[in-house]
Amino acid sequence: MKNATVLIVIGKNLVAADLAQKLEALRAKSAQAAILVVGEAPEFPYYAFGVPMYGTTDIPPEWQEAVSGNATELKAKAEEVERLLEQHDVSGDVATVSCEPPQVADAVARRAMLCDVAIIGDDLRHSDVLFRQVVYGVLFHSPIGILLNDHDTEATLAAKTVFVAWNSHLPSARAVHQALPFLRQAKEVVIGIIDPVATAYRDGEDPGVDVAKWLAHHNCNVSVRQFPSGNREIGGVILQRSKESGADLVVMGSYGHSRTREAFFGGTTRTLIEQTEQAVFLAH
């Protein structure tokens, strides 16, 4: 992660101390910060929209006041972040964005285009809609992966043990490629395979050995472990096995199934995103 550009997406209510520890971790890595402060714009009251005959559009003053107040709060947070960057001697820049939820994903994705990894502030979880739009924007509309639950950013960026939840699908391979900086510096990389299918057209005759050999060429200390799910939910099994392995970070490909299917029926990615204890690196 040395000299990387790290996108940090936060809300206007993030505690300064939380951002300060992230900046200290970046300073130790000689990384630069691209900080985006996201605010959900007040919804326009279309139900109250009125156009009197032969008159001008009637826009409720309450909505205008809400928009102005939101802009003021975002500006204040941006100024606070700029002071923190200076105090912690971290190179970077600060930008703000305020728009309706469906547009948040595109705004975040544009900022992520020239970054190496994205970190999402825990405060954004207070707005489920905003949090999901930020996550989806990075995963589906940008070339980088996303880091969640980095409660101790310095320890996460220098993870000693990384658990790779592996299968033979493309998102899993992309996640491993994008997580190479984490894997190369780790003391141990555990390739964990849940319910492997040992056939040539699925996970191979010896599941996990192929990716282990590839990572070994990158000087990673790799071990392969195969686990049965016991008919339990796969996401829960990954979290359990990663904890047993002493992992500081879980690396996983996201959305092997469609988002619609996972929204209705749940899924492994949804489980890993919604949990708040284990640090997770996701890519699609």
Side-chain angles (χ1 to χ4, degrees):
M1 295 303 298
K2 187 175 181 180
N3 298 325
T5 298
V6 180
L7 173 64
I8 304 177
V9 187
I10 63 174
K12 56 189 178 184
N13 297 317
L14 182 73
V15 178
D18 292 340
L19 180 58
Q21 66 95 5
K22 297 182 192 302
L23 295 179
E24 277 299 303
L26 297 190
R27 186 173 67 84
K29 293 288 185 181
S30 299
Q32 79 170 1
I35 301 177
L36 184 63
V37 187
V38 179
E40 187 175 344
E43 184 177 358
F44 189 84
Y46 293 99
Y47 60 87
F49 191 92
V51 182
M53 187 176 295
Y54 308 114
T56 59
T57 302
D58 182 19
I59 300 177
E62 295 81 8
W63 178 78
Q64 298 180 62
E65 292 173 1
V67 170
S68 178
N70 184 56
T72 300
E73 291 174 354
L74 287 175
K75 181 180 178 181
K77 176 58 71 172
E79 292 173 348
E80 179 186 5
V81 171
E82 288 175 349
R83 290 193 295 270
L84 284 173
L85 284 171
E86 185 175 350
Q87 290 171 12
H88 292 273
D89 193 26
V90 175
S91 174
D93 60 87
V94 186
T96 63
V97 61
S98 178
C99 52
E100 294 184 355
Q103 299 171 321
V104 169
D106 289 336
V108 172
R110 284 196 300 273
R111 193 66 188 86
M113 289 296 181
L114 298 178
C115 295
D116 297 288
V117 64
I119 295 177
I120 307 302
D122 288 338
D123 67 303
L124 287 176
R125 288 186 181 273
H126 296 308
S127 172
D128 185 63
V129 174
L130 191 60
F131 176 74
R132 287 183 176 276
Q133 289 297 322
V134 170
V135 170
Y136 294 159
V138 176
L139 289 180
F140 288 95
H141 300 292
S142 85
I144 65 176
I146 196 166
L147 193 60
L148 300 175
N149 306 325
D150 64 316
H151 306 310
D152 184 344
T153 305
E154 186 173 359
T156 301
L157 294 182
K160 296 180 180 179
T161 302
V162 179
F163 186 96
V164 177
W166 175 257
N167 60 34
S168 55
H169 297 160
L170 181 58
S172 186
R174 284 175 174 162
V176 172
H177 276 270
Q178 293 182 24
L180 268 178
F182 296 102
L183 304 179
R184 284 172 175 156
Q185 69 183 7
K187 292 185 177 180
E188 181 183 14
V189 176
V190 179
I191 305 297
I193 309 170
I194 314 299
D195 294 337
V197 180
T199 65
Y201 295 100
R202 284 291 302 274
D203 298 319
E205 295 181 0
D206 197 354
V209 170
D210 49 358
V211 66
K213 287 181 178 179
W214 180 70
L215 288 174
H217 285 297
H218 287 280
N219 296 319
C220 297
N221 179 26
V222 190
S223 62
V224 179
R225 302 177 191 175
Q226 300 177 3
F227 306 103
S229 67
N231 293 321
R232 291 174 294 164
E233 197 271 322
I234 300 298
V237 175
I238 290 173
L239 292 172
Q240 177 191 345
R241 296 302 187 179
S242 66
K243 184 177 181 180
E244 293 173 354
S245 302
D248 305 301
L249 177 67
V250 172
V251 171
M252 190 183 81
S254 63
Y255 292 106
H257 300 297
S258 70
R259 281 190 292 166
T260 302
R261 175 175 171 176
E262 294 216 6
F264 280 99
F265 302 108
T268 305
T269 304
R270 183 173 170 181
T271 298
L272 271 292
I273 288 176
E274 291 181 350
Q275 62 85 32
T276 58
E277 295 183 2
Q278 176 65 271
V280 181
F281 178 87
L282 297 171
H284 177 70

